[in-house]
Amino acid sequence: QTCALPICIMLGFSPGSSTDFAARAIGPKLAELWKQPVVYENRSGAGGSLANALVAKATPDGYTLSMISSSFVANTVLTAQSPYHPIKDFAAVAQVGYPTSVITTSSSQNIKTLKELIAAAKAGGGKFFYGSTGAGSGSHMTTVRFNMAAEIKPQHVAFKGQPELVIEVVTGRVHYGISSLGSALPMIRDGKLVPLAVVTSKRAPQLPEVPTVQEILPHFEREATHGLMAPAGTPRAVLDKISRDVARVLEMADVRKILDTVNIVPAHLPPDEYQAAIVRLLAGSERVAREAGLKK
């Protein structure tokens, strides 16, 4: 096993990231149901690949799991020699939900709307920068999709995780970024970040005046997920057991309150449905990488 304690959820991003929040929201309740400790190990870096590669090689018994984001598949599309294959090396356990993300810029940039950001990016040429949590990360691929829809070509700067990305946008070292609303909201409320658009199908209750990206760019598409994956070969009975318990936990009022606080929408999918969703996510990432001319 990757971890010394009984059940370990590996996290590919730093504490405070949306992926981290998702795991820590459900972990304590799962520990109660299983009467076993659930521990977390943050192995941030390489857009989440470090953690996923460790889980791919772990004993397939359900004791070592990975809480993933959409970077789980995007990394393998962008990396010539990925340390794992998202379909061959893993078995889907359960989707937990999907995050609410927001496009922000620093209040010092004097950009107040998404249209103003797009105009500034077109005028800035090669000197306009956006940040992400690493090549192939969910924030990177979502921003690439946005850039394509907006017909802009800013320069990419990668950071270690969501907290680092938010700080770099606040300071103005990058002009904008897409981060989880949970990570960005404190800085938005302090007036240090300007929310330009939310990356969801509906406006966020916390920011009712902020439009969705699709209100400005109707053809924009986004794929996002947070869920648990296990090493390939994990017995089906184990996958089903964990999935059923995740579904139970997601129905608990206190867990839903935590997820709402960090703007994660609970949306359980059982193993077969989540596996199909991962296959679709892989196909979508391959298409975006091809159309955007990203290295594979």
Side-chain angles (χ1 to χ4, degrees), residues 13 16 18 23 38 40 46 51 55 64 94 119 125 135 176 188 201 220 225 233 257 296:
F13 298 96
S18 181
V38 172
Y40 318 93
V55 176
T64 304
Y176 69 103
I188 291 173
S201 58
F220 169 78
T225 186
K257 185 175 180 180
K296 181 175 179 180

Side-chain angles (χ1 to χ4, degrees), residues 104-157:
T104 61
T105 188
S106 172
S107 55
S108 65
Q109 297 285 354
N110 199 31
I111 294 172
K112 304 301 181 187
T113 68
L114 194 63
K115 288 183 178 180
E116 288 180 3
L117 176 76
I118 294 169
K122 289 181 177 179
K127 295 182 179 180
F128 207 81
F129 300 92
Y130 73 93
S132 83
T133 55
S137 66
S139 71
H140 179 220
M141 294 302 283
T142 300
T143 312
V144 168
R145 289 171 183 263
F146 163 70
N147 294 342
M148 290 171 62
E151 299 181 342
I152 58 176
K153 295 182 179 180
Q155 299 296 310
H156 177 220
V157 183

